[in-house]
Amino acid sequence: MPIDATKPYDDSNIFAKILRGEIPSTRVYDDEWAHAFEDINPQAEIHTLVIPKGHYVSWDDFSAHASAEEIAGFVRAVGEVARRKGLVEPGYRLMANIGGHGHQEVPHLHVHIFGGEPLGPMICKHWK
Ligand code: AMP
């Protein structure tokens, strides 16, 4: 069920629990600004999630309210994870779902990294 990305941050969400170590995740990267782990239901050969350490509901919330340091740290972490996974060549895809039309399900900002195989066109038009 997609979330309403305009709601305030609620720290009972599953990614907040992963950040607090209350539920396990397959940690692939961690630094001051970001944590990365494998998606539990991978949609590509490689499907990794990168989340900021700060409490932001979505890309909208993050881009409007995060500090320049948080934004730089998070963006650098996403790139670092992709490099460590060896994805720069042959290439990969980043995705951030926002709100209802974006079909965002977890209300803590996350960037999906997809790769490890050809990913096809940008958006599937025939999902309904
Ligand atoms: P989104 O639709 O962009 O909000 O994506 C949420 C993603 O989180 C989905 O791809 C889920 O498979 C993934 N997910 C949900 N719970 C977990 C979890 N406990 N560990 C790893 N990935 C998860």
Side-chain angles (χ1 to χ4, degrees), residues 18-19 21 23-28 35-38:
I18 285 175
L19 278 179
I23 60 167
S25 72
T26 52
R27 176 188 193 275
V28 298
H35 181 72
F37 51 99
E38 305 300 3

Side-chain angles (χ1 to χ4, degrees), residues 15 37-41 49 97 103-106 110 112:
F15 292 171
F37 51 99
E38 305 300 3
D39 195 290
I40 205 167
N41 183 23
L49 300 172
N97 296 321
H103 213 278
Q104 181 181 1
E105 292 188 324
V106 178
H110 46 286
H112 298 256

Side-chain angles (χ1 to χ4, degrees), residues 30-78:
D30 187 80
D31 68 17
E32 184 181 355
W33 308 108
H35 181 72
F37 51 99
E38 305 300 3
D39 195 290
I40 205 167
N41 183 23
Q43 302 296 308
E45 225 20 73
I46 293 174
H47 184 176
T48 304
L49 300 172
V50 190
I51 64 177
K53 291 274 172 86
H55 287 180
Y56 298 99
V57 174
S58 68
W59 187 271
D60 178 66
D61 185 19
F62 187 68
S63 60
H65 302 119
S67 69
E69 266 191 316
E70 286 176 300
I71 291 170
F74 180 66
V75 170
R76 286 196 188 282
V78 173

